Amino acid sequence: MSAENPPVGPDRSKTGNTVADPALRAVCPGAPGRLLVCATPIGNLEDVTLRVLQALRDADVIACEDTRRTRVLLDRHGIQAARLVSLHEHNEHARAGELTARVRAGGTVALVSDAGTPLISDPGYVLVQLCIQEGLPVQVLPGPSAVPVALVASGLPVARWCFVGFLPRKRGQRERLLADAAETLVAFESPKRLSATLEMLALLDPQRPVAVCRELTKLHEEVSRGSAAELAKRYRERPAKGEVVLVVGAARSASSRGREHGE
């Protein structure tokens, strides 16, 4: 191919990544830009990839769940961002169109949430969908997520598991979800509701294995493992604080519980 007709697309000549380090922007004038979905630390600010840091340096705009939280990460790593805009649950629909237009015009937009991987119980779905619908490049730069960290730390089976986001607020829905879980279940839970959820688990099956993973990667990280009854008692006496990921073992069938008790 001649010099007058350079290839359109990422340069793969120097790295095995989808995008070479110098090429986080569009390759040729007039081409669309790209949306970079960037995973950021869930606590410890050192838990960020070199590739994400480069993306944040090079982006024309960083779309943040909270610009103040993102500014802390940028300052920690000495990054002078071109522009920060908010994108959260209350303005996502309005802001997504504006950011998609910027990508369409050739700009590079980096999407981050306050912590972890965007879209995983965080904003960003509308923006990603709009870019995909328009055929614009969307790349996900992998990195931290509280879900696999808690799953591995729990010590519970990992061959098959289910992430359900935040547990339902309504008691009946929450009870059905927990009672019917056929595999290890991972969920976010409010520290204010944790004790009630553990009490519910203990009523369903006091011996059900559970892990409460609190403040993961932060200074006061704590992983408490035990039966539902044990942890219900613990958090009844000492309510939890901070961010909580709950990991629950698969539910045993009613028949197996009955046989165990000689019924």
Side-chain angles (χ1 to χ4, degrees):
M1 189 173 289
S2 68
E4 288 108 6
N5 296 291
V8 176
D11 178 4
R12 302 174 189 269
S13 61
K14 295 185 180 180
T15 78
N17 294 333
T18 304
V19 179
D21 290 342
L24 285 166
R25 299 172 186 272
V27 173
C28 62
R34 65 186 71 244
L35 172 65
L36 301 174
V37 183
C38 300
T40 55
I42 60 175
N44 191 317
L45 295 182
E46 296 297 309
D47 293 335
V48 61
T49 70
L50 297 175
R51 193 169 170 222
V52 165
L53 291 178
Q54 189 62 51
L56 297 178
R57 290 187 188 99
D58 290 350
D60 298 303
V61 176
I62 302 176
C64 321
E65 188 175 0
D66 185 330
T67 57
R68 295 166 298 180
R69 291 282 294 272
T70 300
R71 179 63 67 191
V72 171
L73 175 66
L74 298 178
D75 289 346
R76 172 64 181 82
H77 293 283
I79 295 174
Q80 296 292 325
R83 183 185 174 200
L84 272 62
V85 300
S86 64
L87 184 143
H88 46 71
E89 61 179 332
H90 302 297
N91 74 352
E92 183 174 1
H93 283 83
R95 186 55 56 79
E98 168 194 328
L99 293 170
T100 301
R102 183 176 286 272
V103 174
R104 190 189 313 118
T108 296
V109 174
L111 170 66
V112 301
S113 61
D114 284 349
T117 302
L119 280 71
I120 308 299
S121 293
D122 276 329
Y125 180 78
V126 176
L127 174 58
V128 169
Q129 282 295 300
L130 278 177
C131 287
I132 289 173
Q133 289 168 12
E134 294 200 20
L136 299 172
V138 176
Q139 292 181 309
V140 180
L141 279 57
S145 171
V147 176
V149 175
L151 178 65
V152 173
S154 73
L156 292 171
V158 300
R160 291 179 60 85
W161 55 278
C162 177
F163 172 61
V164 298
F166 282 94
L167 287 173
R169 290 176 177 270
K170 293 184 178 179
R171 180 181 176 84
Q173 294 176 351
R174 192 160 73 249
E175 184 172 359
R176 285 192 297 274
L177 180 63
L178 296 170
D180 295 340
E183 53 209 11
T184 301
L185 181 146
V186 185
F188 297 147
E189 181 59 300
S190 163
K192 296 179 180 179
R193 292 194 301 270
L194 177 65
S195 179
T197 297
L198 292 171
E199 297 283 0
M200 178 184 294
L201 280 165
L203 287 173
L204 291 169
D205 180 357
Q207 296 306 312
R208 191 153 172 197
V210 180
V212 174
C213 305
R214 191 179 66 81
E215 294 289 272
L216 290 172
T217 79
K218 300 177 184 178
L219 181 62
H220 300 292
E221 176 179 309
E222 177 185 67
V223 179
S224 301
R225 308 174 186 88
S227 69
E230 291 168 341
L231 293 185
K233 181 177 185 296
R234 174 173 182 168
Y235 287 99
R236 185 188 316 127
E237 296 171 351
R238 192 187 69 179
K241 296 181 180 179
E243 306 217 353
V244 173
V245 185
L246 186 65
V247 188
V248 183
R252 297 181 297 168
S253 67
S255 60
S256 68
R257 289 197 298 270
R259 286 195 301 272
E260 195 170 282
H261 294 286
E263 297 173 4

